[in-house]
Amino acid sequence: MGETMEIKHAICPVCGVGCGIDLIVKDGKVIGTYPYRRNPINEGKNCINGKECYKIINDKNRLKTPLIRKNVEFIESNWNDTLELVSKKLKTYNPDEIAIIGSGKCTNEDNYALKKLADNLNVKNIGVCICNSPKIDLNKEIASYDDVENSKFILILGDIFGESPLIGRRVIKAKEKGSEIITVIEEKDITNNKVGELNSNKFIKINNFSEFLKNIDKEPLKRLDENSIIIFNKIIEREDVNLVYNISEKTGCKLLPLLKYCNTMGAIKILPPLNRKEMFDLIKDVKCAYIVGENPALYDKDNNILKSLDFLVVQDIFLTETAQLADVVLPSACWAEKDGTFTNTMGTTQKINKIIGAPGEALPDYEIISKLAEKMR
């Protein structure tokens, strides 16, 4: 039999831009990527992260079977016994003793399944960690990527060229059309923004965004109007985000907040958005946590909050730092191994299709959650 080669359309899972990619599948294994040339979002281009996103699919460290902690070690288990254990443990807690955390790396369907599970259990302690993404107002209009390219004046807050190269490409195209680009960055981030400095007409270094955003009557903020756009990804504090929205209301400029994960926008339309502090405040007040697709241990230096839990269930594709602290680990399928949808930063929802099978006994997140819900009845 000869080799079989296929090209399968997909959506890049790396960031919130939502670029189209083509996965190269050879004999049932993904071996590379091409830009999806007919996707209007990235217009046939991909950044280096998008080009290499397929590598996690074949990673030898992928979780393949459910794991249950016995003393200090994990032992492999099967789905029935594992979900039976989780179900029995969850039933021993009151609803206010349980926390459920979703992720912007999961599909809309995954997060919706989590919400339904929480509703059925009457659990109110639920949310999705937005980490370094701005906590945006979903009632406010978000600019499109075409708006970026057609703006007369673009004010960039933070590093978008390094973190969202395809948005950076739109900015460069706007500059080629005559748009003026001003980048404002905090001193602490200056070493990582050489590309932004090269592609901006003006590069402004500040101590902090809070003080800068209050000076709406000074340069460069006073130049904003309805033909302008603010692109931001480093405005994280709620009060600073409010200042950005206030500037937009007063000047008429459009806003494009850049969100961290492939489905952060979709996730926060389903689950309450939580910054890191809010996430840990939620976890520290409960006895049991069910964490899907998120890795809070990265942000808790000593992991005292996670270690204080009586029972921790983690669902992920890898044995993450958080999973290593868990009592039960559930192996999930990655983005190329399940059907669903992602909603990108500007609110466009795109379908993803199952392209290959998941390793071992790993299952799509929504399927695991549904099976657990059945056990809870």
Side-chain angles (χ1 to χ4, degrees):
M1 297 289 290
E3 296 179 346
T4 60
M5 187 86 76
E6 296 179 284
I7 302 296
K8 298 287 187 178
H9 299 321
I11 302 301
C12 180
V14 176
C15 74
V17 176
C19 296
I21 57 173
D22 283 337
L23 295 183
I24 308 167
V25 184
K26 180 180 179 182
D27 294 333
K29 181 179 180 180
V30 179
I31 62 170
T33 66
Y34 285 126
Y36 181 17
R37 301 192 182 282
R38 286 184 290 175
N39 189 299
I41 289 175
N42 52 307
E43 301 174 315
K45 304 291 183 181
N46 283 136
C47 70
I48 185 63
N49 293 326
K51 290 177 181 177
E52 297 184 350
C53 68
Y54 74 96
K55 292 182 178 180
I56 67 164
I57 300 171
N58 305 317
D59 195 299
K60 65 180 181 180
N61 295 315
R62 288 284 304 277
L63 289 170
K64 298 178 178 64
T65 60
L67 302 174
I68 297 174
R69 185 178 296 281
K70 294 292 185 181
N71 298 318
V72 296
E73 296 183 348
F74 285 118
I75 63 168
E76 294 185 355
S77 183
N78 59 64
W79 278 113
N80 184 67
D81 292 348
T82 304
L83 293 179
E84 192 70 36
L85 169 64
V86 174
S87 172
K88 287 181 178 179
K89 287 292 291 185
L90 287 176
K91 289 176 181 178
T92 66
Y93 300 104
N94 295 323
D96 60 358
E97 295 177 322
I98 301 172
I100 297 177
I101 304 295
S103 173
K105 291 178 281 188
C106 296
T107 65
N108 289 311
E109 293 71 22
D110 298 332
N111 285 301
Y112 182 75
L114 267 185
K115 181 180 183 300
K116 292 297 293 183
L117 176 66
D119 290 344
N120 291 339
L121 298 179
N122 200 30
V123 170
K124 307 299 182 185
N125 302 313
I126 184 171
V128 56
C129 182
I130 59 173
C131 298
N132 287 331
S133 295
K135 200 169 185 179
I136 63 173
D137 187 341
L138 292 175
N139 295 316
K140 303 293 185 181
E141 183 179 358
I142 293 176
S144 71
Y145 303 155
D146 287 341
D147 288 333
V148 174
E149 193 171 325
N150 296 318
S151 292
K152 301 298 182 183
F153 174 55
I154 300 175
L155 179 63
I156 299 170
L157 306 179
D159 174 20
I160 68 146
F161 290 95
E163 297 187 14
S164 301
L166 271 297
I167 298 298
R169 179 175 176 270
R170 295 282 187 137
V171 171
I172 292 171
K173 291 176 73 174
K175 186 180 179 184
E176 291 172 348
K177 293 180 179 180
S179 178
E180 183 173 5
I181 315 299
I182 294 181
T183 294
V184 180
I185 191 165
E186 292 181 329
E187 289 280 357
K188 62 180 180 171
D189 294 325
I190 204 69
T191 56
N192 299 320
N193 208 283
K194 297 301 182 184
V195 177
E197 188 169 2
L198 289 171
N199 287 287
S200 301
N201 297 100
K202 193 172 183 180
F203 193 78
I204 302 174
K205 307 169 188 177
I206 60 172
N207 291 324
N208 64 77
F209 282 117
S210 295
E211 290 302 316
F212 172 79
L213 293 170
K214 292 175 183 177
N215 297 317
I216 191 171
D217 296 323
K218 297 182 180 180
E219 288 283 352
L221 296 179
K222 71 176 186 178
R223 299 171 56 190
L224 292 164
D225 59 24
E226 63 274 7
N227 295 313
S228 307
I229 187 169
I230 299 177
I231 307 175
F232 60 102
N233 66 349
K234 288 294 185 182
I235 309 299
I236 300 171
E237 298 300 327
R238 180 72 246 187
E239 54 269 28
D240 292 345
V241 175
N242 287 339
L243 288 172
V244 174
Y245 281 118
N246 181 55
I247 291 169
S248 176
E249 289 176 2
K250 288 186 176 181
T251 65
C253 73
K254 297 178 179 179
L255 301 178
L256 180 61
L258 299 182
L259 306 181
K260 186 174 180 64
Y261 295 132
C262 54
N263 195 42
T264 298
M265 176 61 77
I268 63 176
K269 289 184 176 183
I270 298 169
L271 302 176
L274 306 170
N275 60 32
R276 291 178 187 174
K277 181 180 183 303
E278 291 168 336
M279 176 178 63
F280 283 116
D281 285 346
L282 186 149
I283 294 173
K284 74 180 183 182
D285 290 334
V286 300
K287 295 180 179 180
C288 169
Y290 179 24
I291 300 174
V292 179
E294 194 51 74
N295 191 10
L298 288 178
Y299 317 123
D300 183 14
K301 184 177 180 181
D302 299 316
N303 292 319
N304 290 329
I305 295 175
L306 292 170
K307 289 177 180 177
S308 69
L309 289 166
D310 179 56
F311 189 64
L312 173 60
V313 180
V314 174
Q315 188 167 303
D316 214 309
I317 65 174
F318 292 111
L319 192 65
T320 63
E321 290 83 353
T322 304
Q324 291 173 38
L325 301 172
D327 297 285
V328 174
V329 180
L330 307 176
S332 56
C334 79
W335 55 280
E337 300 158 353
K338 59 185 175 182
D339 297 315
T341 55
F342 288 151
T343 302
N344 71 3
T345 289
M346 66 177 182
T348 300
T349 298
Q350 302 181 93
K351 192 175 188 308
I352 61 170
N353 298 306
K354 179 179 178 180
I355 293 173
I356 59 170
E361 298 178 35
L363 295 172
D365 289 301
Y366 61 81
E367 187 172 338
I368 299 171
I369 298 163
S370 297
K371 287 179 179 291
L372 176 59
E374 291 177 5
K375 293 283 187 182
M376 295 295 296
R377 291 176 182 170

